[in-house]
Amino acid sequence: MITRFLPMAEWPRLIFGPGKRLICILLALTFLLAGCFSTAPVPPVKIPSVFWPKPPARPRVALVNIIRRPVDMGIRLGGLQQFWRSLFGGRPRAIQYPHGLAVDKAGRLYVVDTGLHKLCVFDVKGQSYKVLPQKGKPLLSPIDVAIDNQRGRVFVSDAEDGAVRIFTLAGKDAGKIKRGVLGRPTGLAVNAVSDELLVIDSKNDSLLRFSLADLKLRGVIGHKGVAAGLFNAPTAVTVAPDGSIYVVDTLNDRVQVFTPAGKFIRMFGAVGDAPGNFSRPKGVAVDNYGNVHVVDALFDNIQIFNQKGQVLLSYGGAGQKPGQLWLPSGITIGPHGRIYVADTYNHRIQVYKIVKPEDRSRNDEK
């Protein structure tokens, strides 16, 4: 059998000719094959009942979800979307090494994956999943993420690049805060009260305050030291609803609190293995009740403190079972009170919630 190849000179006639046969064939195949990728509804992931403190004490924190892939959040990609992903790559990959986390006002979850060198965006309402950057310069060593809800911007710290990358909510590249001002940017937070972007510079042991209006530097908090207001390799920052700034001063084994303008207020924590002490604090978040959640990578847990710095409870614990942690790092709390923790070396995000009194009553009735 002799196969005859169409001369290249005839390709335009085939593709763009009156019949446009090739285009029609491709379109038909696309929709035909897309139907093959339609799957039955994915059943919800079954999460065991895990509470802290352990029974018979009344539960105060509960595990509600474990996220490794978009489907774990109920995100089911359409048939056509799955087809094109299968052809050209980009299938959703399992989370590798999650680190920084954020949730925007629309409920989208942003996960910095240091293994993928990407920012992964999980959109339950929009039933979509994407990774950033989609094109252009890659992220070298992404660490944390923060959302400017007012202006629709996403900030990602890149420690190796010495820069903070900026994206739109749609995923387009919108510039960066460049090296020169920053040494090794790590933790990020947006302070809506002062209209500032807060950037931890772990190399220079400081916290930088940038205006969100023009991204110009407004001020620097701290430098290397052990006295109040000074830092030793800080790694994370968050902002309370009143604008107070909480900084994880990692190698000083403490959390420091500042006013929105950067004036020192108080600090809590010390090196040790008793409740309220730290071994390697890595993440911090403030919940809807004003309590402070601090992730400790070596304790493999999260400790909850009140606003005075008194320890209330811990949850998590070392291991690989549901609810347990292995070298956790980032933490964020969404608008509805869900607590997302980067369970880094278990390659997953674990989601917890504060058990309200009415929830406890329902549990007692069961």
Side-chain angles (χ1 to χ4, degrees), residues 34 41 165 205 226 232 261 270 305 344:
R165 296 282 294 276
D205 303 290
V226 296
N232 187 3
F305 298 82
T344 305

Side-chain angles (χ1 to χ4, degrees), residues 38-188:
S38 297
T39 57
V42 179
V45 178
K46 292 183 178 180
I47 303 298
S49 297
V50 185
F51 299 95
W52 294 264
K54 301 299 181 184
R58 288 220 166 193
R60 299 181 182 275
V61 176
L63 177 70
V64 295
N65 200 5
I66 297 173
I67 303 168
R68 292 186 177 89
R69 299 176 184 271
V71 69
D72 296 330
M73 292 190 71
I75 298 173
R76 179 172 173 264
L77 302 180
L80 187 59
Q81 201 173 3
Q82 292 185 52
F83 170 67
W84 284 113
R85 284 181 180 272
S86 70
L87 278 184
F88 302 109
R91 284 188 176 186
R93 300 177 63 182
I95 290 172
Q96 291 190 9
Y97 293 95
H99 202 280
L101 305 172
V103 177
D104 68 17
K105 65 180 181 181
R108 287 179 286 255
L109 173 64
Y110 298 77
V111 179
V112 172
D113 193 317
T114 60
L116 297 176
H117 298 275
K118 296 286 187 180
L119 174 67
C120 306
V121 186
F122 298 78
D123 185 354
V124 176
K125 291 181 181 178
Q127 284 294 290
S128 69
Y129 165 86
K130 62 186 175 184
V131 295
L132 303 178
Q134 297 172 341
K135 58 182 179 180
K137 185 177 180 180
L139 296 168
L140 302 179
S141 180
I143 300 294
D144 203 4
V145 56
I147 312 298
D148 178 4
N149 285 302
Q150 182 179 345
R151 297 171 179 83
R153 295 182 297 188
V154 181
F155 298 94
V156 180
S157 58
D158 190 331
E160 187 175 334
D161 192 31
V164 175
R165 296 282 294 276
I166 308 170
F167 301 93
T168 66
L169 290 179
K172 294 182 179 179
D173 196 317
K176 66 180 180 179
I177 300 173
K178 300 179 180 179
R179 184 184 292 277
V181 180
L182 299 169
R184 182 178 174 80
T186 51
L188 298 177

Side-chain angles (χ1 to χ4, degrees), residues 51 70 141-142 150 163 182 190 197-198 318 355 363:
F51 299 95
S141 180
Q150 182 179 345
L182 299 169
V190 164
L197 171 68
L198 306 176
V355 179
N363 276 332

Side-chain angles (χ1 to χ4, degrees), residues 147-291:
I147 312 298
D148 178 4
N149 285 302
Q150 182 179 345
R151 297 171 179 83
R153 295 182 297 188
V154 181
F155 298 94
V156 180
S157 58
D158 190 331
E160 187 175 334
D161 192 31
V164 175
R165 296 282 294 276
I166 308 170
F167 301 93
T168 66
L169 290 179
K172 294 182 179 179
D173 196 317
K176 66 180 180 179
I177 300 173
K178 300 179 180 179
R179 184 184 292 277
V181 180
L182 299 169
R184 182 178 174 80
T186 51
L188 298 177
V190 164
N191 194 335
V193 173
S194 61
D195 200 36
E196 292 178 340
L197 171 68
L198 306 176
V199 182
I200 293 286
D201 189 337
S202 296
K203 181 179 179 180
N204 294 315
D205 303 290
S206 58
L207 173 66
L208 284 67
R209 299 164 46 223
F210 293 89
S211 166
L212 283 170
D214 55 16
L215 299 181
K216 291 183 178 178
L217 184 65
R218 279 186 178 173
V220 179
I221 303 172
H223 54 81
K224 192 174 185 65
V226 296
L230 304 184
F231 305 116
N232 187 3
T235 55
V237 58
T238 196
V239 178
D242 65 356
S244 299
I245 301 167
Y246 290 77
V247 178
V248 177
D249 189 6
T250 300
L251 295 189
N252 280 331
D253 295 290
R254 64 192 182 188
V255 173
Q256 299 200 58
V257 190
F258 300 85
T259 67
K263 182 179 179 181
F264 174 81
I265 301 176
R266 62 184 177 275
M267 58 187 176
F268 59 89
V271 64
D273 57 7
N277 292 155
F278 299 123
S279 182
R280 190 55 59 87
K282 294 294 291 288
V284 62
V286 179
D287 66 25
N288 297 338
Y289 302 95
N291 295 320

